[in-house]
Amino acid sequence: MHFDVRVTRPDFGPPLSGADWSRAAMSADLEIEATGNTSCELSHTRSVLGRVDITVGGAGVAGEVEARGRAEVDLPYFGWIFRPLLTRRLRRDLDHVLDVGQAARDGERPPPAPTGPAWFPDVPWTPHQVRSVATATVALAVVAYAATLVGATSNAFTESFGMTDSQLALLLGITRVGTLLALVGAWLADKAGRRRILLASLTALVLLTALSGFAPDAVTFGALQTLTRGLVNLAGPVAAMIVIEESPERARASTLAIVFLGGALGGVLANALLPILDLGPEAWRGIYVLAVLFLPLILHMARHLPETRRFAALAERGAETGRVGEVVDRRYGRRFAIVTASAFLLNFAAAPSAQLTMRYLQNERDFSGSEVLLLRALMTAIPGLLAVLLGGVMAEARGRIVVVRLGLAVAAVADILFFTTGGVFLWVWTAVGTTGSGFAAPAYGAVSNEMFPTEVRGTAQGGSLLLGVLGSILGLFFVGLVRGAAGSIGTAIALTDIAPLVVVLFVYGRLPESRGRALDDISPTEV
């Protein structure tokens, strides 16, 4: 994207000389490239747009000065969304340059630099960072589409294959075995690089998702979804790793918040297609087959996604990466134990809730596919968006750990009430639970990656995935086992939410705080 913005100051007063502009610019951290008599060529190196070339000179009218700013931002996929915001920010940068000039001429202190919206990471970005983060966001959208389908269509394919609640819980638990694929893939991300593993896993993911729509029976469907689940658990964390490794140091959690929102568009798309389920008993298959349309997008992503600079630096000097022993050594072993234990307990509750909510709403609360779509659209979209943005901001301002614990506590209590109450309270607790989980998500995602160095970040994520999926398997099996004794599937799911409360009260607070620290200071390399 090309930006070319002009700002005119009619009451600027007498023009400044090139030397005056030099002194003014240096006082405001602007790098001087060249000067003239009454004009100045500046380079604003600390703008959120990256490098901004600014020309300041007379506008042809006595006392009037014009500042013209030019910038190139390579923002694939999301440029149309951010162009108005970035144009407005460039205009504010130019106003700031003129304010600095006037202050220098009048012998006053330079004004503070402008800031952007509280939710937007107000730090300089390099073109490499912008491309990497934008492309990783699209990757997460593809992952979210595939990950949403099983939970959204569980009632439809259960009836299509003639399965009982217990059989469904068993099938969903078995699909978690696919995490073994994710475990190996995450380790390979430390060996072969983030880029290569992400693109390969995305390609396989959309093909297997599409093939699931043609499954003739529950066994075939379960086998395909086992592989799909493994690829979801691989591609998502690798994309998040790319975001953490490429984000500016003071904006990792807030950047991850924006990335999560962009990635959630895939889940929004999957949910938007739910009315198709009302067309017939086999209509659910079409939503799976549509995943093949993501293939051209993945090919386009391959042209924009570079390898992360941190991994590339390790590879260039031939450092040994992916050493399992480093993850469990004296420096990182305790962190690994806390992160994996948290993943186990959180997924023990998250998997049944995510996979069986559709069945709970349709079978126990008599919701249609369209009503489920309405519930999610009204009670999750806006609360979730605001909560994720707020969570990212608060994680940078107040700290990761306190944000995670508060968000998880709210989400767990709301989930219990969602599955044990009815009527209008279903809508209320959906909004509250979404707010809690969304608030915790950016900080939780940041901490999971920040606790380990680049050379074993993927390996550590693989271990966390393994324990997380083990928790999800046991959670689904638990629901299937106690379904009869509990009296309803909703009550059985609610019982699993004791696990996140254990994380909040006894586990997560033992991790070190990482807010405001450089990534390499939080987790120094050992190679």
Side-chain angles (χ1 to χ4, degrees):
M1 288 189 299
H2 176 71
F3 294 86
D4 193 337
V5 176
R6 299 171 186 262
V7 171
T8 301
R9 185 70 60 84
D11 57 348
F12 188 83
L16 274 68
S17 67
D20 291 335
W21 277 115
S22 296
R23 287 191 295 272
M26 285 188 291
S27 72
D29 294 320
L30 299 175
E31 177 186 337
I32 294 298
E33 290 190 339
T35 62
N37 291 328
T38 59
S39 66
C40 189
E41 298 291 333
L42 310 175
S43 176
H44 191 348
T45 59
R46 296 194 179 185
S47 171
V48 72
L49 285 83
R51 175 190 174 92
V52 178
D53 295 319
I54 305 174
T55 301
V56 182
V61 179
E64 187 171 281
V65 168
E66 178 185 80
R68 178 179 179 181
R70 296 170 299 278
E72 290 285 345
V73 178
D74 182 10
L75 180 55
Y77 311 110
F78 301 101
W80 60 279
I81 297 177
F82 284 96
R83 174 176 282 279
L85 175 66
L86 295 178
T87 299
R88 185 163 55 252
R89 178 53 192 267
L90 179 53
R91 193 176 302 279
R92 295 183 65 188
D93 284 341
L94 297 180
D95 276 325
H96 175 62
V97 169
L98 295 180
D99 289 340
V100 167
Q102 284 184 303
R105 186 195 57 204
D106 299 337
E108 299 175 355
R109 297 185 63 179
T115 58
W119 56 268
F120 190 80
D122 195 40
V123 292
W125 288 76
T126 67
H128 181 99
Q129 289 173 322
V130 173
R131 285 196 305 273
S132 297
V133 171
T135 308
T137 303
V138 176
L140 282 174
V142 176
V143 172
Y145 180 89
T148 302
L149 291 185
V150 170
T153 63
S154 61
N155 202 52
F157 70 72
T158 297
E159 294 181 357
S160 178
F161 296 136
M163 302 168 63
T164 64
D165 284 345
S166 296
Q167 289 172 330
L168 173 62
L170 178 63
L171 181 143
L172 294 177
I174 291 174
T175 62
R176 264 51 184 186
V177 176
T179 198
L180 295 175
L181 174 63
L183 178 63
V184 175
W187 175 75
L188 287 175
D190 282 338
K191 291 291 187 180
R194 287 49 164 140
R195 178 185 183 275
R196 187 179 302 175
I197 297 302
L198 178 60
L199 293 173
S201 60
L202 286 176
T203 302
L205 175 61
V206 298
L207 290 174
L208 289 170
T209 299
L211 287 174
S212 297
F214 296 102
D217 51 51
V219 174
T220 304
F221 181 79
L224 290 169
Q225 283 301 302
T226 298
L227 296 174
T228 298
R229 178 56 54 178
L231 292 166
V232 164
N233 286 331
L234 171 60
V238 171
M241 267 193 288
I242 291 173
V243 174
I244 291 297
E245 291 181 359
E246 294 292 9
S247 295
E249 292 288 8
R250 293 181 292 109
R252 290 187 298 270
S254 53
T255 297
L256 200 59
I258 297 175
V259 168
F260 282 166
L261 291 180
L265 293 175
V268 171
L269 175 59
N271 281 308
L273 296 174
L274 288 183
I276 292 177
L277 300 179
D278 297 330
L279 298 179
E282 300 297 321
W284 62 272
R285 297 177 181 274
I287 305 178
Y288 284 78
V289 174
L290 287 174
V292 76
L293 298 179
F294 286 118
L295 279 177
L297 179 62
I298 295 172
L299 292 175
H300 188 265
M301 289 167 56
R303 297 199 294 268
H304 285 284
L305 183 65
E307 183 55 78
T308 68
R309 293 167 302 167
R310 282 185 166 86
F311 182 85
L314 289 176
E316 185 176 353
R317 61 187 177 88
E320 185 180 0
T321 57
R323 297 182 302 142
V324 177
E326 185 176 347
V327 177
V328 296
D329 66 10
R330 292 185 61 185
R331 173 177 286 179
Y332 295 114
R334 185 170 183 271
R335 296 183 183 183
F336 183 70
I338 296 171
V339 169
T340 53
S342 299
F344 175 88
L345 292 169
L346 293 177
N347 280 278
F348 184 85
S353 179
Q355 300 295 310
L356 300 172
T357 293
M358 185 75 169
R359 189 159 181 81
Y360 163 72
L361 289 173
Q362 291 186 323
N363 283 15
E364 297 190 4
R365 301 300 176 186
D366 297 322
F367 274 58
S368 67
S370 299
E371 287 173 330
V372 173
L373 174 61
L374 181 63
L375 172 68
R376 289 177 171 172
L378 294 180
M379 297 293 106
T380 65
I382 294 178
L385 183 150
L386 296 177
V388 169
L389 290 177
L390 180 61
V393 172
M394 295 303 294
E396 301 292 358
R398 301 300 181 189
R400 274 64 155 148
I401 305 304
V402 65
V403 168
V404 170
R405 295 177 75 184
L406 176 59
L408 291 180
V410 171
V413 173
D415 208 47
I416 292 172
L417 294 171
F418 172 81
F419 286 108
T420 55
T421 60
V424 68
F425 292 106
L426 278 174
W427 300 72
V428 174
W429 298 124
T430 297
V432 174
T434 299
T435 300
S437 57
F439 185 74
Y444 183 81
V447 169
S448 298
N449 284 280
E450 291 170 339
M451 291 297 107
F452 307 99
T454 301
E455 68 267 18
V456 293
R457 189 165 288 122
T459 304
Q461 289 299 303
S464 182
L465 283 170
L466 179 62
L467 268 292
V469 172
L470 178 60
S472 68
I473 292 173
L474 293 180
L476 288 164
F477 284 172
F478 174 82
V479 170
L481 289 173
V482 305
R483 161 69 174 83
S488 71
I489 194 171
T491 303
I493 297 172
L495 290 173
T496 66
D497 281 297
I498 296 173
L501 295 177
V502 172
V503 174
V504 171
L505 295 173
F506 305 111
V507 180
Y508 214 73
R510 300 177 183 274
L511 286 172
E513 180 55 61
S514 55
R515 175 182 67 91
R517 300 171 61 190
L519 189 58
D520 294 331
D521 291 338
I522 300 167
S523 303
T525 181
E526 294 186 352
V527 296

